[in-house]
Structures are given as structure tokens and as C-alpha cells.
């Protein structure tokens, strides 16, 4: 599965240092789940694929068939069949979330939105219509031809749909907010087969709920995003090895998030991480960061000088780039689905000492306890994703949205704990370590008064509830009411097995 944060960076740097093929769709007819796959194969023989066919994508679970709709009308037909046969189904856009069952299912219908990949401007190119089946690198390569950008994912291999409905951390957040705040409209196929155009003036309640509500309301078949003039940037990736370097990087992250640091620069986005490798010899630290500073520069921008001044990097591509898309292209060049992984998210205030706190509570025990040294390929990573008060104000200024994170509470950091390993036999141990580490960090942060009550959905783990903190608890009842209104028969609520469900 593809990732949107430190494990993507880990795989990218590590590469520096289940597709099944056959033909035809007969298998869909032979191995259908009840009658759903049989009916889909009969109605859409060129778009329905069973085990052994060329487009059957096997993730962590085992769908009976894969259906690849071409447009919203195909989705309507599929949902009619699924509802009539009461068949479980899941929907996949890019599939970057490493949560078991997040995009797949056992013996149901797997709807892959890959073919719904429209990329089309309005007349003055101020709005881009983009299909959920796109990856962000495809979108950026399209918009950059016109000197434009959209506020999508930072990693080019991530899919469009999940990122936007989960919020979206992007390169331009200090100016535009979350990625979902840049939406001006969306087309949604509801569970009853209705096609709804949503915006601030058309079904505004549904439009509000989509901005952070994940796929709890229907299947989004088109997003309308604002565009922005962007051409050049100072960007790249840098990596260091060793515990001493990790401390210097930690100090640089801490300085970045404090008042007057780089977090206050409207054009700077930073994605740093520190990780440990317990399985390698006696274990070691590795640190990295991906900066993105929008604009044209002849020297390193002041906002990231605490990082660019760190010596001893074993990998460094941070520089001025005439084409800003070269950074997501650089990261997207590596697509490694071979490692097992787990995300878990929480948040800390932008306060003194919080970076060292995360390192001491999450990373050092991974090396010192010895329990992970036996796990083949084990890596434990913490990504520190700064969310500035400026970004939250921009989000609020864009209009109401379900996440409703209050800028009055100040800047904070999304803390993404990611674990990576190679063999399934260690799944339980690695899952347990990730959860225990997050629980320890949350408890200690609360003791110190630096805990921030927010779980970023796109980084969350199975069992976490991202919706509870939306609007400081006020959003969830409204989200539940809207779900009942737009999915009265419970097709999406009860039959769709993907994403995070409303409690």
C-alpha cells in the first residue's frame, strides 16, 4: 500500500542506499459473491475482473471481483446491483492508507476508481475538475504545463480521493489550509443511486461533511479544486545517519515550530522524520526532511536554514527547482509495496521539548528494549508534521468544514508513528509496539500539558476515532445526522467496508 508520510520517505531513502496477471473476466462470472459479481460481469464484461484476470488487484484481503467504472453512471449501476444483492463492497482511489481492510474486503465487490481520472480546467483555469482515480503526480504533471498547481498530496504516488476526504496536508497549507478547504464542489453518488452535485450553495450540508468526513456519505466521482499559480520552489530531500545527527535534526524541528521559526513563513512546508532501525546490528538512527518553499531562490531560504546548515548528510537534493513538480516526481519514483506497515496518529502542541519527548518515548525504547531486534527489517519512525496557526486560519477563512480545527488554539504538530517490517509473523508484535508507544506518548504529553486533541484521519490506525475531536466534539452529531439524511437505507453505512466509519 502507498503512504503519505514518513514511511514513503523511508522507502524512498532506503531504495537509494501482488499483481496477478492473466486475461478476460470469466473468473468474475465463475467466482462471484452470490450474484453481485455475476451481474456486474454480465452488464460490464470489460470492466469486471475476477481472480486471475489482469486487473484483479489483490491487497491484504480477498475480494470476489474487481469492478472498474468509467464514470458516475457506472457507479450508479454497480450500487444498484450491490444493494439488491446486499453485497459487501469497498472503494479504492489511491489506496495509500495502511489499515487492514481500509480499501479491500473479503469476498465482496472491490470498486477501483482508477478509470475515473478526468483532469479538466474550467474556462479561466481557476478550477480543476479531477477524478478520484488519479494519482497526484498525474494531476501535477497536467497543471504544471500551465504554470498552475492544486493543493494536493505531497507524495506523488498517493491517490486523490482519500486524501481530499480525509483533510489533506499539502505544500501550500499556510496560504490555503487543508487540501479539502480548496474544494469548490464535488460530485457524489449516493447509496440510493442519486448523483448529487455539492458545493457551498448546492447541498451545502453534504459538502461540509465531505471535508474531512471520509467516505461515509457516498462515492465521490469528481472533485472541483481551486488552482494557484506556482512554477518554482526550493525543495528536495536530505538524510543523515547517527544518533548525534538525529539530535541536531530534532533541535532543528523544535526551532522550526516555535514562534518566529520557519512555521511562520507562509511559503514553507516541512516534512521531517526521525527513525530507528532495531534489526540492523545494534540498531541505528536515521533522520530526514523534505522541505518545500514556494518561490525563486538563489540561496537557501531563511525558513529552513536550521536544516540546510546541518553537516554530514549522506543524501541531499535540496536546491532551487525550476519546476516545483520535480519533488513529488522524485519521491514517486519509488513505489515499494513489499513492506508491511502500520500508522498511528496523535498530535502535540507546538511547545518547548515536544520533539525530544517523542524521540524519548517512541524511538529510544524501540532500540533499548531489544524486543524489535528480532523483527526482520524492523523500522520505527516518527514524522513531525507542523500545522501552523496561519494554516488553520486559512482553513477557517475558506468556509465551514467538518474538521473545524480552531486556529485560536495555536500551532501544533501531527505526530505520525509508523512501523515497518518484512514478515507477517511479526504483525502482532509490531502493531502492539505502535499502539503502546502512542499510548505512552499521549499519557506523558497530557501530564506535561502539551497534548493536542486531534487525530489526522489520513494517518490514523484501525480503532482510532478521528471524528471525535472535530469541532471540539460539535461536528460529529451533525455528521451523523447528515449521513442519515443522505444514506437513509444505510447502503454506505452498512455495506461499504472501507475507510473510517462514523461512530
Amino acid at each position: 500500500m502507498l503512504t503519505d508520510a514518513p514511511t514513503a520517505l523511508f522507502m524512498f531513502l532506503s531504495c537509494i542506499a501482488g499483481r496477478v496477471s492473466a486475461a478476460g473476466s470469466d473468473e468474475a462470472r465463475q467466482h462471484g459473491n452470490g450474484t453481485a459479481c455475476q451481474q456486474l460481469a454480465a452488464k460490464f464484461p470489460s470492466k469486471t475482473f475476477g481472480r486471475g484476470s489482469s486487473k484483479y488487484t489483490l491487497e491484504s484481503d480477498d475480494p470476489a471481483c474487481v469492478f472498474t467504472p468509467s464514470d458516475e453512471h457506472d457507479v450508479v449501476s454497480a450500487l444498484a446491483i450491490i444493494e439488491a444483492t446486499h453485497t459487501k463492497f469497498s472503494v479504492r482511489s489511491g489506496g495509500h492508507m495502511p489499515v487492514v481492510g481500509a480499501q479491500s474486503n473479503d469476498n465482496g465487490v472491490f470498486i477501483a476508481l482508477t478509470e475515473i481520472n478526468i483532469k479538466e480546467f474550467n474556462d479561466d483555469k481557476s478550477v480543476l475538475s479531477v477524478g478520484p482515480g488519479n494519482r497526484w503526480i498525474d494531476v501535477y504533471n497536467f497543471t504544471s504545463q500551465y504554470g498552475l498547481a492544486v493543493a494536493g498530496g505531497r507524495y506523488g504516488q498517493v491517490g486523490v480521493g482519500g486524501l481530499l476526504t480525509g483533510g489533506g496536508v499539502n505544500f501550500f497549507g499556510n496560504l490555503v489550509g487543508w487540501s479539502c478547504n480548496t474544494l469548490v464542489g464535488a460530485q457524489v453518488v449516493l447509496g440510493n443511486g442519486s448523483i448529487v452535485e455539492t458545493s457551498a450553495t448546492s447541498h451545502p450540508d453534504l459538502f461540509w461533511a465531505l471535508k474531512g468526513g471520509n467516505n461515509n456519505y457516498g462515492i465521490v466521482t469528481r472533485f472541483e479544486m481551486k488552482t494557484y499559480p506556482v512554477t518554482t520552489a526550493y525543495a528536495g530531500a536530505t538524510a543523515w545517519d547517527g544518533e548525534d545527527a538525529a539530535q541536531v535534526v530534532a533541535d532543528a524541528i523544535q526551532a522550526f515550530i516555535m514562534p518566529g521559526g520557519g512555521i511562520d513563513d507562509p511559503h514553507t512546508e516541512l516534512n521531517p522524520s526521525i527513525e530507528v532501525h532495531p534489526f540492523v546490528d545494534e540498531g541505528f538512527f536515521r533522520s530526514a526532511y523534505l522541505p518545500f518553499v514556494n518561490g525563486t531562490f538563489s540561496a537557501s531560504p531563511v525558513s529552513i536554514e536550521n536544516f540546510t546548515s546541518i553537516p554530514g548528510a549522506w543524501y541531499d537534493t535540496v536546491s532551487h527547482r525550476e519546476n516545483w513538480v520535480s519533488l513529488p516526481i522524485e519521491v514517486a519514483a519509488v513505489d515499494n509495496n513489499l513492506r508491511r506497515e502500520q500508522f498511528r496518529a496523535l498530535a502535540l502542541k507546538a511547545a518547548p521539548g515536544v520533539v525530544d519527548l517523542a524521540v524519548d518515548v517512541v524511538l529510544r525504547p524501540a532500540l533499548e528494549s531489544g524486543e524489535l531486534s528480532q523483527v526482520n527489517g524492523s523500522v520505527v519512525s516518527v514524522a513531525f508534521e507542523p500545522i501552523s496557526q496561519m494554516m488553520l486560519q486559512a482553513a477557517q477563512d475558506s468556509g465551514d468544514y467538518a474538521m473545524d480545527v480552531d486556529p485560536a488554539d495555536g500551532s501544533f504538530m501531527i505526530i505520525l508513528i509508523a512501523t515497518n517490517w518484512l514478515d507477517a509473523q511479526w504483525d502482532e508484535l509490531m502493531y502492539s509496539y505502535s499502539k503502546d508507544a502512542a499510548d505512552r506518548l499521549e499519557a506523558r504529553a497530557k501530564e506535561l500539558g502539551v497534548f493536542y486533541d486531534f487525530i489526522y484521519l489520513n494517518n490514523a490506525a484501525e480503532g482510532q476515532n478521528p471524528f471525535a475531536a472535530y469541532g471540539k466534539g460539535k461536528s460529529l452529531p451533525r455528521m451523523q445526522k447528515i449521513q442519515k439524511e443522505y444514506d437513509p437505507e444505510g447502503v454506505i453505512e452498512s455495506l461499504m467496508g472501507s475507510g473510517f466509519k462514523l461512530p
Side-chain angles (χ1 to χ4, degrees):
M1 299 179 185
L2 301 173
T3 61
D4 186 29
T7 46
L9 178 56
F10 160 72
M11 290 187 293
F12 170 70
L13 294 171
S14 295
C15 285
I16 296 170
R19 302 290 188 266
V20 183
S21 64
S25 58
D26 289 342
E27 286 280 331
R29 296 186 180 93
Q30 296 170 10
H31 297 286
N33 176 30
T35 61
C37 287
Q38 294 172 346
Q39 290 185 41
L40 284 169
K43 186 176 181 65
F44 301 100
S46 64
K47 300 176 182 180
T48 308
F49 305 90
R51 299 178 181 94
S53 62
S54 59
K55 288 193 176 182
Y56 182 89
T57 303
L58 187 63
E59 295 283 351
S60 59
D61 298 311
D62 190 11
C65 65
V66 173
F67 178 60
T68 57
S70 298
D71 56 28
E72 66 273 20
H73 302 293
D74 288 353
V75 174
V76 169
S77 297
L79 283 178
I81 292 171
I82 286 168
E83 181 182 14
T85 57
H86 203 69
T87 300
K88 294 286 187 179
F89 73 103
S90 56
V91 180
R92 179 180 184 268
S93 171
H96 81 277
M97 188 180 293
V99 175
V100 174
Q103 297 92 21
S104 304
N105 61 73
D106 283 323
N107 208 37
V109 176
F110 183 99
I111 300 177
L113 301 177
T114 314
E115 301 302 318
I116 305 181
N117 54 14
I118 182 178
K119 296 180 288 291
E120 186 176 283
F121 290 115
N122 66 347
D123 289 343
D124 65 2
K125 294 185 174 60
S126 62
V127 175
L128 178 73
S129 295
V130 57
N134 286 291
R135 301 292 175 106
W136 287 112
I137 192 59
D138 302 317
V139 177
Y140 297 153
N141 281 330
F142 177 77
T143 61
S144 63
Q145 300 174 74
Y146 305 92
L148 296 171
V150 291
R154 298 162 299 170
Y155 291 85
Q157 69 270 48
V158 170
V160 164
L163 182 120
L164 287 175
T165 58
V169 180
N170 59 81
F171 290 126
F172 316 107
N174 280 353
L175 297 175
V176 305
W178 306 93
S179 298
C180 67
N181 299 127
T182 71
L183 291 173
V184 298
Q187 181 186 78
V188 188
V189 178
L190 304 180
N192 64 6
S194 300
I195 300 173
V196 176
E197 299 288 346
T198 72
S199 68
T201 57
S202 174
H203 300 278
D205 50 350
L206 179 57
F207 186 57
W208 172 88
L210 290 175
K211 293 184 281 186
N214 204 228
N215 55 2
N216 283 291
Y217 303 94
I219 299 175
V220 182
T221 47
R222 189 184 69 247
F223 296 93
E224 310 286 343
M225 301 184 72
K226 293 179 182 178
T227 64
Y228 306 94
V230 179
T231 53
T232 60
Y234 199 89
T238 307
W240 303 263
D241 279 352
E243 186 172 359
D244 292 343
Q247 185 60 61
V248 177
V249 172
D251 292 342
I253 300 170
Q254 185 67 60
F256 183 90
I257 65 171
M258 299 308 293
I263 195 172
D264 292 331
D265 180 73
H267 302 291
T268 298
E269 199 281 332
L270 195 73
N271 185 201
S273 67
I274 301 174
E275 62 194 30
V276 292
H277 295 238
F279 183 70
V280 179
D281 298 326
E282 297 180 358
F284 70 92
F285 279 83
R286 172 166 290 166
S287 310
Y289 88 124
L290 267 70
F292 184 94
V293 189
N294 183 22
T296 301
F297 301 90
S298 58
S300 173
V302 174
S303 60
I304 59 171
E305 61 184 3
N306 286 344
F307 294 91
T308 55
S309 63
I310 300 174
W314 62 267
Y315 181 81
D316 186 8
T317 65
V318 176
S319 61
H320 175 72
R321 300 182 178 221
E322 288 299 318
N323 182 1
W324 72 274
V325 181
S326 62
L327 177 59
I329 288 176
E330 182 178 346
V331 179
V334 176
D335 183 358
N336 186 342
N337 288 335
L338 300 179
R339 298 185 62 86
R340 308 182 72 78
E341 57 188 340
Q342 167 78 357
F343 283 3
R344 188 164 290 272
L346 66 156
L348 301 177
K349 296 177 181 178
V354 292
V355 179
D356 282 344
L357 175 66
V359 172
D360 291 343
V361 173
V362 177
L363 298 181
R364 293 192 189 282
L367 291 181
E368 295 168 358
S369 70
E371 65 176 343
L372 302 189
S373 64
Q374 60 185 322
V375 179
N376 187 17
S378 60
V379 179
V380 179
S381 173
V382 175
F384 305 86
E385 304 188 52
I387 305 297
S388 70
Q389 186 175 39
M390 185 187 311
M391 172 180 164
L392 298 176
Q393 188 62 56
Q396 188 178 82
D397 293 345
S398 74
D400 292 340
Y401 68 117
M403 294 168 69
D404 191 19
V405 188
D406 192 351
D409 293 335
S411 302
F412 69 96
M413 283 194 302
I414 296 171
I415 301 296
L416 171 52
I417 299 172
T419 50
N420 273 261
W421 65 102
L422 291 175
D423 301 326
Q425 71 183 91
W426 303 111
D427 285 2
E428 185 175 347
L429 175 61
M430 295 301 287
Y431 291 159
S432 176
Y433 185 86
S434 176
K435 184 180 185 305
D436 291 348
D439 290 345
R440 292 195 306 268
L441 181 57
E442 179 175 337
R444 186 66 179 137
K446 287 179 176 177
E447 290 176 4
L448 297 173
V450 296
F451 178 74
Y452 190 100
D453 190 12
F454 178 76
I455 295 174
Y456 179 45
L457 187 149
N458 286 341
N459 291 350
E462 184 179 13
Q464 290 192 289
N465 177 13
F467 308 115
Y470 282 11
K472 298 181 179 179
K474 295 180 181 179
S475 291
L476 181 56
R478 182 180 173 190
M479 295 170 74
Q480 293 169 326
K481 180 180 178 181
I482 292 169
Q483 184 185 56
K484 294 298 183 185
E485 179 181 351
Y486 285 91
D487 187 32
E489 301 301 322
V491 175
I492 302 300
E493 180 183 8
S494 62
L495 295 182
M496 182 185 286
S498 52
F500 285 88
K501 295 292 188 181
L502 295 180

